[in-house]
Amino acid sequence: MKLSPRAYEVLWDAHAWAGVLSSLVLFVTFYLGAFALFAEELAPWQEPHFRAPVAVSEARAVALAQHFAEEEAPSRPVWFGISLPTAEEPWLRLWRMADGGLHMTWVDPVSGRRLGERSDLGEFLNAMHFLEPLPGGQHVSGVASAVLVLLVGTGLLLQLGRMVRELVRFRPASSRRVFWSDTHKVIGVVAAPFLLVFGLTGGILWLDDWFEPAVVRTSMKDDPTAKARAVDWPSPPAASGRPAGAPDLARALALAKQRFPASAHDHFFFDHLGDENGSVHLPGEQEGTLHAFTHVRVSRQGQLIWEREAGGGTTYTRVMDPLFGLHFATWAGFPAKVLYALLAFLCAFGILAGNLLWLERRRAKSPNRFDVVLARLTSGVCAGLALAVACLFVANQVLPGGLAERPRWEHGVFLASWAAGVLGALLGADPALHARRLLLAASGLLFTVPLLDSALTLRLPFGSGSTHVLATEVGLVALALLLLGASIAIRRLQRAPSSAARPAVSETPEPLPG
Amino acid sequence: MAHRHGAGRIAAAVTGAPVAAVLASVAVPAVLPVAEDVRLLVAMLVVLPAVCTGVCLALLARSAPRAWVGSVLVAAVSVGVLVSK
C-alpha cells in the first residue's frame, strides 16, 4: 500500500515543516535525556564526598532525620522532605519548597552538621531535559512531544510501501542530501517505537495540566476525589490548625518495610509537618520492573492511612505507570540504561539529520532568510548544547565545594556558554565551521574533566575504585570521542561536493516537493 | 508551503483541527459507559494521536472550506455531547 502522490506531497510537507519547527527543542530533549537517565548515578561524580560509603547505620540516620523533622515542625511547612543516606548519596538531604522552587541542602550523617547546598549537576541536566529551568519550558517541551507524535505518524505514513527497502538503504558515498535523507529515514524507522513512547508520555507529562482539568470536569463531575481515586493518589489529610510534633519516622519506616519488603525506602516526604493532622509519605522503589514504585502514608499518630501497590490499584494506573516506567527507564539496570542513552543520542542525531536534509534541499535552490537562520540556530543550539554540557562538567570540578548558591553558579555557566554558542552562530560567518569549533571545544573540555577530577581528588584517572565514578569517566571520554568524531565528520562533509554538484543518485523514486 | 497547499487549509490544520480533536477527546470519554478511571485513561491516551490525525486530515482535505467544515463539525458535535450529557 502506498499513498497517492498528492497525499505523499501534503504529508511530506507537514512532516518537514513540523520537524524543522520543533527540531531544536526535540534535539535538546533527547541529547539531555541521555544524561537525565543517570541523574542519580551522577551524584558521586558531582560531589566527591559522596564517593565514601554510608558511614552510619540506618537507625542512626533515621534518628537524625527525626531530629531535623522535629526542628522543622514549628515552622509548619506545607511540604518538607528528608532523604536517608544511600550508596549514591551517603549524606542526608533536606528538601524545602521556597520562592516557588525546590531547595536541597545536605547534612553530614556522622556529625549532624548542615553542609548547605552542593552541586546538583545530575538533577539540573534532568530538569533541562524538559526545559524546566526556563520560563514556560515544560509546556514548550510538551508541545514538542506532541509534535513528535505527529512526526512519527507522518514519517511512518510516508514510508508506506517502501519501509523495508529504505530501512537498509544507506549511501554514505552519495551527495550530502542523499546521505542526510538516508540517515534520517533509517534512524527514524528504527527508533519509531521509542520515539512514539517518548512523544506520548512526554506530551501527557507536560501538557496534562492544560488537558486533565477539562477531563475531570466533564468525565468525573468535577470531583477532585474521583480523580484522586482514578490515579490512586488520595490527597493527604487537611491541616487542622493545631500544632503538634513530627510523625515517628522509625515507626513509619517499619510500617513501610513491613508492607512492602521488596522496596527500598529512602525518603520521608511530609505534608503539613507540625500540624496535628500531619502525615509522612514514604515512596519505595523496586528494581527490574515497570511497576517500580510503592507508596505508604503514615499519620502523625503512627497509623497506616494509605498504601499503593506497585502499579497502583486502578486500570488507569496499571496502564500509565508502565508507560511512564518506559519513559523514565525505571525498569532498567545499568546496561539497559546505557542502551537507552545510546538510543537517545541516536534520536538526537536523527533529528539533526532531518534539519540538515532540509538545508541541503534548500541549498540546491536559493536559501531564504528562514533557512539561513535555521542553519545558524541548528549550529548554535545543537553544538552549543554540547559545549554547555562540557562547561557544566568543568564548572562542577573547578568551583569551590562550599561555594554559596553553588547550583546557581553551575546553572549560570551552563546557560551562559550555551547562549554564547547560539550568539556566535548568529553573528559568525559559517554555521558549519562554528559547529565544528564548538564541538572541538566541547570535546577538549570533556577530555579534561576526568583529568581534573583525578588531580583534585589526588588519584589516578580511571582508578577511583568506585564503579559510579569509573562509569562517568568512561562515559565522558566516550562522549568526547563522539563529539570529536562529529567535528571531523562535519569537516569531511564540507569538503565533499554538495547535492547540487552531484545529482547522480536520486533520493527517492517519487517526485518530491520542496 | 502556504502557496502550494493554501493558507486556509494550513490555518485549519494548526488551529481548527487541533481544537476540534481536543474537544472530541474530552467529549468521547465523557459518554463512554465505563469506569471513571478508564475515561481518564482513554482521554489521556487518545488526545495526542487525535490531534495529529486531525492535523493530517485537515491538510489532506480537498479544499480549505472542507477542512474548516470538518473541524467545525467535529467541534460542534463534541460541544453538543458535552452540553447535553
Side-chain angles (χ1 to χ4, degrees), chain A residues 44-84:
Chain A
W45 179 266
Q46 72 202 32
E47 175 51 63
H49 287 101
F50 289 171
R51 296 173 195 178
V54 178
V56 295
S57 66
E58 185 181 81
R60 159 71 185 153
V62 172
L64 201 55
Q66 186 74 48
H67 165 75
F68 283 106
E70 298 291 357
E71 196 177 82
E72 195 75 13
S75 66
R76 298 166 78 175
V78 174
W79 190 89
F80 176 66
I82 301 176
S83 300
L84 294 176

mmCIF file of all heavy atoms in Angstrom, chain A residues 44-84:
data_model
loop_
_atom_site.group_PDB
_atom_site.id
_atom_site.type_symbol
_atom_site.label_atom_id
_atom_site.label_comp_id
_atom_site.label_asym_id
_atom_site.label_seq_id
_atom_site.Cartn_x
_atom_site.Cartn_y
_atom_site.Cartn_z
ATOM 1 N N PRO A 44 27.741 10.732 42.881
ATOM 2 C CA PRO A 44 29.111 10.621 43.409
ATOM 3 C C PRO A 44 30.141 11.351 42.548
ATOM 4 O O PRO A 44 31.235 11.649 43.032
ATOM 5 C CB PRO A 44 29.377 9.106 43.392
ATOM 6 C CG PRO A 44 28.048 8.469 43.301
ATOM 7 C CD PRO A 44 27.198 9.422 42.532
ATOM 8 N N TRP A 45 29.796 11.607 41.300
ATOM 9 C CA TRP A 45 30.707 12.369 40.439
ATOM 10 C C TRP A 45 30.643 13.854 40.779
ATOM 11 O O TRP A 45 31.668 14.522 40.941
ATOM 12 C CB TRP A 45 30.367 12.161 38.962
ATOM 13 C CG TRP A 45 31.284 12.944 38.084
ATOM 14 C CD1 TRP A 45 31.069 14.187 37.571
ATOM 15 C CD2 TRP A 45 32.596 12.563 37.675
ATOM 16 N NE1 TRP A 45 32.156 14.599 36.862
ATOM 17 C CE2 TRP A 45 33.113 13.623 36.906
ATOM 18 C CE3 TRP A 45 33.383 11.425 37.880
ATOM 19 C CZ2 TRP A 45 34.388 13.574 36.342
ATOM 20 C CZ3 TRP A 45 34.645 11.380 37.317
ATOM 21 C CH2 TRP A 45 35.134 12.447 36.567
ATOM 22 N N GLN A 46 29.416 14.350 40.912
ATOM 23 C CA GLN A 46 29.253 15.792 41.102
ATOM 24 C C GLN A 46 29.688 16.240 42.495
ATOM 25 O O GLN A 46 30.046 17.396 42.686
ATOM 26 C CB GLN A 46 27.805 16.204 40.845
ATOM 27 C CG GLN A 46 26.806 15.771 41.913
ATOM 28 C CD GLN A 46 25.385 15.725 41.400
ATOM 29 O OE1 GLN A 46 25.153 15.446 40.246
ATOM 30 N NE2 GLN A 46 24.428 16.009 42.272
ATOM 31 N N GLU A 47 29.674 15.348 43.450
ATOM 32 C CA GLU A 47 30.082 15.697 44.808
ATOM 33 C C GLU A 47 31.060 14.618 45.300
ATOM 34 O O GLU A 47 30.637 13.537 45.731
ATOM 35 C CB GLU A 47 28.852 15.768 45.720
ATOM 36 C CG GLU A 47 29.162 16.001 47.186
ATOM 37 C CD GLU A 47 30.080 17.187 47.417
ATOM 38 O OE1 GLU A 47 29.700 18.310 47.097
ATOM 39 O OE2 GLU A 47 31.216 16.968 47.904
ATOM 40 N N PRO A 48 32.372 14.890 45.220
ATOM 41 C CA PRO A 48 33.358 13.841 45.567
ATOM 42 C C PRO A 48 33.183 13.248 46.967
ATOM 43 O O PRO A 48 33.533 12.090 47.190
ATOM 44 C CB PRO A 48 34.699 14.570 45.440
ATOM 45 C CG PRO A 48 34.430 15.660 44.449
ATOM 46 C CD PRO A 48 33.017 16.091 44.690
ATOM 47 N N HIS A 49 32.599 14.033 47.893
ATOM 48 C CA HIS A 49 32.374 13.475 49.232
ATOM 49 C C HIS A 49 31.434 12.271 49.199
ATOM 50 O O HIS A 49 31.409 11.464 50.118
ATOM 51 C CB HIS A 49 31.796 14.552 50.169
ATOM 52 C CG HIS A 49 32.802 15.572 50.573
ATOM 53 N ND1 HIS A 49 32.854 16.821 49.987
ATOM 54 C CD2 HIS A 49 33.799 15.536 51.466
ATOM 55 C CE1 HIS A 49 33.845 17.513 50.527
ATOM 56 N NE2 HIS A 49 34.443 16.752 51.429
ATOM 57 N N PHE A 50 30.600 12.203 48.140
ATOM 58 C CA PHE A 50 29.627 11.109 48.048
ATOM 59 C C PHE A 50 30.288 9.785 47.659
ATOM 60 O O PHE A 50 29.608 8.765 47.562
ATOM 61 C CB PHE A 50 28.544 11.435 47.016
ATOM 62 C CG PHE A 50 27.583 12.508 47.443
ATOM 63 C CD1 PHE A 50 26.673 13.039 46.543
ATOM 64 C CD2 PHE A 50 27.584 12.988 48.738
ATOM 65 C CE1 PHE A 50 25.788 14.033 46.924
ATOM 66 C CE2 PHE A 50 26.714 13.983 49.128
ATOM 67 C CZ PHE A 50 25.816 14.511 48.219
ATOM 68 N N ARG A 51 31.577 9.817 47.376
ATOM 69 C CA ARG A 51 32.225 8.568 46.962
ATOM 70 C C ARG A 51 32.552 7.670 48.156
ATOM 71 O O ARG A 51 32.972 6.535 47.977
ATOM 72 C CB ARG A 51 33.492 8.898 46.162
ATOM 73 C CG ARG A 51 33.134 9.625 44.880
ATOM 74 C CD ARG A 51 34.343 10.126 44.130
ATOM 75 N NE ARG A 51 33.923 11.111 43.127
ATOM 76 C CZ ARG A 51 34.736 11.762 42.325
ATOM 77 N NH1 ARG A 51 36.033 11.527 42.380
ATOM 78 N NH2 ARG A 51 34.267 12.645 41.467
ATOM 79 N N ALA A 52 32.389 8.203 49.342
ATOM 80 C CA ALA A 52 32.615 7.392 50.546
ATOM 81 C C ALA A 52 31.390 6.510 50.792
ATOM 82 O O ALA A 52 30.286 6.842 50.348
ATOM 83 C CB ALA A 52 32.835 8.315 51.737
ATOM 84 N N PRO A 53 31.576 5.385 51.445
ATOM 85 C CA PRO A 53 30.409 4.550 51.768
ATOM 86 C C PRO A 53 29.534 5.222 52.828
ATOM 87 O O PRO A 53 29.959 6.169 53.483
ATOM 88 C CB PRO A 53 31.038 3.265 52.308
ATOM 89 C CG PRO A 53 32.388 3.661 52.777
ATOM 90 C CD PRO A 53 32.833 4.820 51.930
ATOM 91 N N VAL A 54 28.311 4.725 52.967
ATOM 92 C CA VAL A 54 27.411 5.241 54.007
ATOM 93 C C VAL A 54 28.071 4.987 55.365
ATOM 94 O O VAL A 54 28.444 3.856 55.677
ATOM 95 C CB VAL A 54 26.036 4.543 53.933
ATOM 96 C CG1 VAL A 54 25.135 5.043 55.045
ATOM 97 C CG2 VAL A 54 25.395 4.787 52.574
ATOM 98 N N ALA A 55 28.226 6.065 56.152
ATOM 99 C CA ALA A 55 29.048 5.969 57.361
ATOM 100 C C ALA A 55 28.237 5.710 58.625
ATOM 101 O O ALA A 55 28.823 5.554 59.699
ATOM 102 C CB ALA A 55 29.852 7.259 57.520
ATOM 103 N N VAL A 56 26.933 5.697 58.531
ATOM 104 C CA VAL A 56 26.126 5.494 59.742
ATOM 105 C C VAL A 56 25.095 4.390 59.489
ATOM 106 O O VAL A 56 24.761 4.092 58.340
ATOM 107 C CB VAL A 56 25.374 6.787 60.158
ATOM 108 C CG1 VAL A 56 26.344 7.867 60.567
ATOM 109 C CG2 VAL A 56 24.462 7.265 59.047
ATOM 110 N N SER A 57 24.611 3.825 60.565
ATOM 111 C CA SER A 57 23.576 2.798 60.436
ATOM 112 C C SER A 57 22.253 3.459 60.047
ATOM 113 O O SER A 57 22.072 4.678 60.212
ATOM 114 C CB SER A 57 23.401 2.068 61.768
ATOM 115 O OG SER A 57 22.880 2.974 62.723
ATOM 116 N N GLU A 58 21.327 2.638 59.572
ATOM 117 C CA GLU A 58 20.019 3.181 59.210
ATOM 118 C C GLU A 58 19.327 3.784 60.430
ATOM 119 O O GLU A 58 18.697 4.848 60.352
ATOM 120 C CB GLU A 58 19.153 2.084 58.597
ATOM 121 C CG GLU A 58 17.814 2.614 58.098
ATOM 122 C CD GLU A 58 16.951 1.509 57.516
ATOM 123 O OE1 GLU A 58 16.306 0.780 58.300
ATOM 124 O OE2 GLU A 58 16.944 1.370 56.286
ATOM 125 N N ALA A 59 19.479 3.109 61.578
ATOM 126 C CA ALA A 59 18.823 3.595 62.793
ATOM 127 C C ALA A 59 19.336 4.986 63.168
ATOM 128 O O ALA A 59 18.558 5.884 63.527
ATOM 129 C CB ALA A 59 19.058 2.612 63.935
ATOM 130 N N ARG A 60 20.655 5.176 63.035
ATOM 131 C CA ARG A 60 21.238 6.488 63.356
ATOM 132 C C ARG A 60 20.744 7.545 62.355
ATOM 133 O O ARG A 60 20.407 8.667 62.733
ATOM 134 C CB ARG A 60 22.767 6.353 63.313
ATOM 135 C CG ARG A 60 23.553 7.631 63.135
ATOM 136 C CD ARG A 60 23.529 8.521 64.362
ATOM 137 N NE ARG A 60 24.209 9.784 64.070
ATOM 138 C CZ ARG A 60 23.951 10.933 64.671
ATOM 139 N NH1 ARG A 60 23.041 10.989 65.617
ATOM 140 N NH2 ARG A 60 24.611 12.016 64.356
ATOM 141 N N ALA A 61 20.685 7.165 61.083
ATOM 142 C CA ALA A 61 20.225 8.108 60.056
ATOM 143 C C ALA A 61 18.765 8.495 60.304
ATOM 144 O O ALA A 61 18.396 9.671 60.175
ATOM 145 C CB ALA A 61 20.385 7.496 58.673
ATOM 146 N N VAL A 62 17.943 7.516 60.687
ATOM 147 C CA VAL A 62 16.522 7.811 60.948
ATOM 148 C C VAL A 62 16.383 8.705 62.172
ATOM 149 O O VAL A 62 15.562 9.637 62.205
ATOM 150 C CB VAL A 62 15.718 6.496 61.104
ATOM 151 C CG1 VAL A 62 14.289 6.782 61.564
ATOM 152 C CG2 VAL A 62 15.705 5.719 59.797
ATOM 153 N N ALA A 63 17.216 8.450 63.187
ATOM 154 C CA ALA A 63 17.181 9.294 64.393
ATOM 155 C C ALA A 63 17.547 10.736 64.048
ATOM 156 O O ALA A 63 16.935 11.691 64.544
ATOM 157 C CB ALA A 63 18.139 8.732 65.442
ATOM 158 N N LEU A 64 18.536 10.877 63.176
ATOM 159 C CA LEU A 64 18.941 12.215 62.746
ATOM 160 C C LEU A 64 17.817 12.881 61.945
ATOM 161 O O LEU A 64 17.533 14.074 62.125
ATOM 162 C CB LEU A 64 20.210 12.101 61.889
ATOM 163 C CG LEU A 64 21.078 13.351 61.745
ATOM 164 C CD1 LEU A 64 21.482 13.910 63.093
ATOM 165 C CD2 LEU A 64 22.322 13.011 60.918
ATOM 166 N N ALA A 65 17.178 12.080 61.078
ATOM 167 C CA ALA A 65 16.053 12.607 60.295
ATOM 168 C C ALA A 65 14.941 13.060 61.240
ATOM 169 O O ALA A 65 14.322 14.115 61.035
ATOM 170 C CB ALA A 65 15.540 11.538 59.335
ATOM 171 N N GLN A 66 14.678 12.272 62.299
ATOM 172 C CA GLN A 66 13.658 12.639 63.282
ATOM 173 C C GLN A 66 13.996 13.983 63.928
ATOM 174 O O GLN A 66 13.128 14.853 64.095
ATOM 175 C CB GLN A 66 13.581 11.545 64.365
ATOM 176 C CG GLN A 66 12.462 11.731 65.379
ATOM 177 C CD GLN A 66 11.096 11.399 64.781
ATOM 178 O OE1 GLN A 66 10.938 10.361 64.146
ATOM 179 N NE2 GLN A 66 10.135 12.279 64.967
ATOM 180 N N HIS A 67 15.286 14.155 64.232
ATOM 181 C CA HIS A 67 15.742 15.403 64.853
ATOM 182 C C HIS A 67 15.443 16.594 63.936
ATOM 183 O O HIS A 67 14.920 17.626 64.386
ATOM 184 C CB HIS A 67 17.252 15.306 65.124
ATOM 185 C CG HIS A 67 17.894 16.620 65.429
ATOM 186 N ND1 HIS A 67 17.747 17.255 66.652
ATOM 187 C CD2 HIS A 67 18.660 17.446 64.661
ATOM 188 C CE1 HIS A 67 18.407 18.410 66.617
ATOM 189 N NE2 HIS A 67 18.970 18.540 65.425
ATOM 190 N N PHE A 68 15.770 16.449 62.638
ATOM 191 C CA PHE A 68 15.547 17.567 61.714
ATOM 192 C C PHE A 68 14.056 17.799 61.465
ATOM 193 O O PHE A 68 13.625 18.938 61.275
ATOM 194 C CB PHE A 68 16.290 17.327 60.393
ATOM 195 C CG PHE A 68 17.765 17.599 60.514
ATOM 196 C CD1 PHE A 68 18.678 16.564 60.545
ATOM 197 C CD2 PHE A 68 18.229 18.899 60.636
ATOM 198 C CE1 PHE A 68 20.027 16.813 60.672
ATOM 199 C CE2 PHE A 68 19.581 19.158 60.773
ATOM 200 C CZ PHE A 68 20.492 18.116 60.795
ATOM 201 N N ALA A 69 13.265 16.714 61.470
ATOM 202 C CA ALA A 69 11.810 16.884 61.309
ATOM 203 C C ALA A 69 11.235 17.645 62.504
ATOM 204 O O ALA A 69 10.408 18.552 62.329
ATOM 205 C CB ALA A 69 11.144 15.520 61.153
ATOM 206 N N GLU A 70 11.665 17.268 63.712
ATOM 207 C CA GLU A 70 11.180 17.969 64.917
ATOM 208 C C GLU A 70 11.610 19.434 64.893
ATOM 209 O O GLU A 70 10.855 20.326 65.296
ATOM 210 C CB GLU A 70 11.716 17.296 66.190
ATOM 211 C CG GLU A 70 11.283 15.843 66.399
ATOM 212 C CD GLU A 70 9.796 15.689 66.704
ATOM 213 O OE1 GLU A 70 9.098 16.710 66.816
ATOM 214 O OE2 GLU A 70 9.341 14.525 66.794
ATOM 215 N N GLU A 71 12.834 19.672 64.392
ATOM 216 C CA GLU A 71 13.356 21.030 64.329
ATOM 217 C C GLU A 71 12.557 21.877 63.334
ATOM 218 O O GLU A 71 12.371 23.068 63.533
ATOM 219 C CB GLU A 71 14.831 20.965 63.899
ATOM 220 C CG GLU A 71 15.628 22.216 64.142
ATOM 221 C CD GLU A 71 17.077 22.011 63.741
ATOM 222 O OE1 GLU A 71 17.400 22.128 62.539
ATOM 223 O OE2 GLU A 71 17.887 21.705 64.632
ATOM 224 N N GLU A 72 12.096 21.226 62.265
ATOM 225 C CA GLU A 72 11.381 21.936 61.206
ATOM 226 C C GLU A 72 9.898 22.149 61.564
ATOM 227 O O GLU A 72 9.253 23.058 61.038
ATOM 228 C CB GLU A 72 11.484 21.129 59.898
ATOM 229 C CG GLU A 72 11.114 21.877 58.644
ATOM 230 C CD GLU A 72 12.182 22.861 58.183
ATOM 231 O OE1 GLU A 72 13.324 22.788 58.691
ATOM 232 O OE2 GLU A 72 11.853 23.713 57.343
ATOM 233 N N ALA A 73 9.376 21.268 62.455
ATOM 234 C CA ALA A 73 7.936 21.242 62.715
ATOM 235 C C ALA A 73 7.351 22.589 63.160
ATOM 236 O O ALA A 73 6.267 22.965 62.685
ATOM 237 C CB ALA A 73 7.603 20.154 63.738
ATOM 238 N N PRO A 74 8.004 23.344 64.048
ATOM 239 C CA PRO A 74 7.375 24.606 64.490
ATOM 240 C C PRO A 74 7.095 25.588 63.360
ATOM 241 O O PRO A 74 6.193 26.423 63.472
ATOM 242 C CB PRO A 74 8.415 25.186 65.470
ATOM 243 C CG PRO A 74 9.180 23.989 65.955
ATOM 244 C CD PRO A 74 9.247 23.048 64.791
ATOM 245 N N SER A 75 7.866 25.501 62.269
ATOM 246 C CA SER A 75 7.616 26.433 61.150
ATOM 247 C C SER A 75 6.426 25.970 60.304
ATOM 248 O O SER A 75 5.958 26.710 59.433
ATOM 249 C CB SER A 75 8.855 26.563 60.263
ATOM 250 O OG SER A 75 9.129 25.340 59.622
ATOM 251 N N ARG A 76 5.928 24.735 60.548
ATOM 252 C CA ARG A 76 4.735 24.167 59.907
ATOM 253 C C ARG A 76 4.714 24.343 58.384
ATOM 254 O O ARG A 76 3.806 24.967 57.824
ATOM 255 C CB ARG A 76 3.475 24.759 60.551
ATOM 256 C CG ARG A 76 3.416 24.384 62.010
ATOM 257 C CD ARG A 76 2.417 25.193 62.766
ATOM 258 N NE ARG A 76 1.064 24.716 62.539
ATOM 259 C CZ ARG A 76 0.010 25.200 63.164
ATOM 260 N NH1 ARG A 76 0.150 26.171 64.056
ATOM 261 N NH2 ARG A 76 -1.182 24.724 62.919
ATOM 262 N N PRO A 77 5.727 23.787 57.727
ATOM 263 C CA PRO A 77 5.724 23.891 56.260
ATOM 264 C C PRO A 77 4.620 23.015 55.665
ATOM 265 O O PRO A 77 4.312 21.950 56.189
ATOM 266 C CB PRO A 77 7.111 23.347 55.873
ATOM 267 C CG PRO A 77 7.461 22.417 56.988
ATOM 268 C CD PRO A 77 6.842 22.979 58.236
ATOM 269 N N VAL A 78 4.044 23.458 54.552
ATOM 270 C CA VAL A 78 3.021 22.656 53.862
ATOM 271 C C VAL A 78 3.663 21.366 53.357
ATOM 272 O O VAL A 78 3.058 20.297 53.374
ATOM 273 C CB VAL A 78 2.417 23.449 52.687
ATOM 274 C CG1 VAL A 78 1.466 22.578 51.866
ATOM 275 C CG2 VAL A 78 1.681 24.670 53.203
ATOM 276 N N TRP A 79 4.932 21.462 52.936
ATOM 277 C CA TRP A 79 5.641 20.283 52.409
ATOM 278 C C TRP A 79 7.109 20.376 52.813
ATOM 279 O O TRP A 79 7.710 21.457 52.795
ATOM 280 C CB TRP A 79 5.513 20.233 50.885
ATOM 281 C CG TRP A 79 6.009 18.944 50.310
ATOM 282 C CD1 TRP A 79 5.286 17.819 50.109
ATOM 283 C CD2 TRP A 79 7.340 18.650 49.873
ATOM 284 N NE1 TRP A 79 6.093 16.829 49.579
ATOM 285 C CE2 TRP A 79 7.354 17.319 49.415
ATOM 286 C CE3 TRP A 79 8.530 19.371 49.825
ATOM 287 C CZ2 TRP A 79 8.504 16.692 48.920
ATOM 288 C CZ3 TRP A 79 9.672 18.761 49.334
ATOM 289 C CH2 TRP A 79 9.651 17.441 48.886
ATOM 290 N N PHE A 80 7.657 19.236 53.173
ATOM 291 C CA PHE A 80 9.067 19.170 53.576
ATOM 292 C C PHE A 80 9.529 17.742 53.330
ATOM 293 O O PHE A 80 8.727 16.799 53.392
ATOM 294 C CB PHE A 80 9.194 19.536 55.068
ATOM 295 C CG PHE A 80 10.583 19.417 55.627
ATOM 296 C CD1 PHE A 80 11.606 20.249 55.183
ATOM 297 C CD2 PHE A 80 10.888 18.471 56.613
ATOM 298 C CE1 PHE A 80 12.887 20.141 55.705
ATOM 299 C CE2 PHE A 80 12.161 18.361 57.142
ATOM 300 C CZ PHE A 80 13.160 19.202 56.688
ATOM 301 N N GLY A 81 10.811 17.558 52.998
ATOM 302 C CA GLY A 81 11.296 16.205 52.722
ATOM 303 C C GLY A 81 12.676 15.947 53.298
ATOM 304 O O GLY A 81 13.480 16.872 53.471
ATOM 305 N N ILE A 82 12.919 14.672 53.605
ATOM 306 C CA ILE A 82 14.245 14.243 54.066
ATOM 307 C C ILE A 82 14.594 12.948 53.329
ATOM 308 O O ILE A 82 13.772 12.033 53.242
ATOM 309 C CB ILE A 82 14.264 13.970 55.589
ATOM 310 C CG1 ILE A 82 13.866 15.214 56.392
ATOM 311 C CG2 ILE A 82 15.646 13.489 56.034
ATOM 312 C CD1 ILE A 82 13.770 14.980 57.896
ATOM 313 N N SER A 83 15.823 12.891 52.778
ATOM 314 C CA SER A 83 16.305 11.650 52.171
ATOM 315 C C SER A 83 17.343 11.023 53.083
ATOM 316 O O SER A 83 18.219 11.724 53.601
ATOM 317 C CB SER A 83 16.973 11.926 50.826
ATOM 318 O OG SER A 83 16.070 12.507 49.954
ATOM 319 N N LEU A 84 17.264 9.721 53.235
ATOM 320 C CA LEU A 84 18.267 8.999 54.023
ATOM 321 C C LEU A 84 19.510 8.756 53.167
ATOM 322 O O LEU A 84 19.437 8.785 51.929
ATOM 323 C CB LEU A 84 17.686 7.663 54.480
ATOM 324 C CG LEU A 84 16.511 7.741 55.464
ATOM 325 C CD1 LEU A 84 15.985 6.340 55.758
ATOM 326 C CD2 LEU A 84 16.924 8.450 56.756
#
